Amino acid sequence: MSELTSQDAVQDEALQQRLRDAGLRPTRQRLALAELLFSKGDRHVSAELLHEEAVAVGVPVSLATVYNTLHQFNQSGLLRAVSVDSTKTYFDTNTSDHHHFFIEEENRVVDVPASHITVSDLPEPPQGMEIARVDVIVRLREKG
Amino acid sequence: MSELTSQDAVQDEALQQRLRDAGLRPTRQRLALAELLFSKGDRHVSAELLHEEAVAVGVPVSLATVYNTLHQFNQSGLLRAVSVDSTKTYFDTNTSDHHHFFIEEENRVVDVPASHITVSDLPEPPQGMEIARVDVIVRLREKG
DNA sequence: ATTTGTGCAAATCGTTTGCATCTGA
DNA sequence: TCAGATGCAAACGATTTGCACAAAT
């Protein structure tokens, strides 16, 4: 059962470890979703899209499980939720400190190239509060 | 019918004009909602809250009309929609250029004091795109 | 064996829409 | 008069939940 020596098997092991490190059991579904999420570079996916992809590659997860999984990944730091347009939630596989472009016409989220954008002159937070994170959304429109 | 000389009547006229200037008929409901929105300083309201307030002061608008009205006000520049948490839309009566604090525990949006926050080193937008707006959300948590 | 995850369908929540009725200019 | 506005209830899309079943340690 553990005799495979292909790249796939090696990658599987890595993903399994990654899930374990996050405190999550490496189940079939979670592994499949993790692979879709993390083996194609940085992505910004919606639950619906991820669900479609999973079904397409022959892993018939339920939509509910996709939602559960995305939230678990988000909580354990494997993903980061991005709030841009109040109708859908997008999950970003890039968890490092960065900001986003949002193309309204296409409902698409894109990372701002690293190290760009400097936010300075931040105000004092109100009494007893501290800054958890600063999100910058650069909204784009077609040049006209 | 137009013999009132109280402050209320004067304010009503001002609101009526404001709606007319925005290209909207000053109907009973729109006037009532405008008054709730614009006579208490800067506010960040959800459709649900505004609806409750209207009913509370004896103006039984329907929720659908509240949504319509908020969107019309948004489109005509009287309000500005703020996307912070993907579940609800908040409308900001302050339409000037400014940014927001968001207190996650309480689901509350607060203006960042004017003139604070400088965003610099903005990246080039992708081909054929231009920057429509830059939104900064400073997410706050309780200090602990 | 026990704990944790999964699937399904139903429920929920915010928001939108269709359509008959009303109302302001 | 009559375009535009409103209310209601039904429709909607994204997300959550309850619970019986299945899989992982």
Side-chain angles (χ1 to χ4, degrees), chain B residues 38-101:
Chain B
F38 301 124
S39 55
K40 297 190 196 174
D42 293 341
R43 312 194 63 193
H44 301 85
V45 302
S46 63
E48 199 189 3
L49 176 64
L50 184 58
H51 180 241
E52 282 168 8
E53 289 189 1
V55 172
V57 298
V59 183
V61 243
S62 76
L63 188 52
T65 297
V66 172
Y67 274 106
N68 288 339
T69 303
L70 285 171
H71 288 140
Q72 291 153 356
F73 284 13
N74 182 49
Q75 279 170 30
S76 55
L78 266 42
L79 287 178
R80 197 162 110 202
V82 187
S83 290
V84 276
D85 85 327
S86 310
T87 59
K88 256 185 190 167
T89 300
Y90 292 86
F91 294 86
D92 189 347
T93 60
N94 176 357
T95 56
S96 70
D97 206 332
H98 68 288
H99 300 293
H100 296 102
F101 285 124

Side-chain angles (χ1 to χ4, degrees), chain A residues 1-2 4 8-32 34-35 38 73 78:
Chain A
M1 218 54 118
S2 53
L4 299 177
D8 287 6
V10 170
Q11 207 195 27
D12 252 40
E13 300 263 313
L15 281 177
Q16 286 195 24
Q17 196 50 50
R18 199 157 167 191
L19 292 183
R20 265 188 248 278
D21 291 349
L24 298 170
R25 280 197 201 161
T27 65
R28 217 178 295 300
Q29 293 81 334
R30 294 215 267 237
L31 274 171
E35 173 149 14
F38 301 124
F73 284 13
L78 265 43

Side-chain angles (χ1 to χ4, degrees), chain B residues 25 27 29-30 60 62 65:
Chain B
R25 278 201 205 158
T27 65
Q29 294 80 336
R30 295 216 266 236
S62 76
T65 297

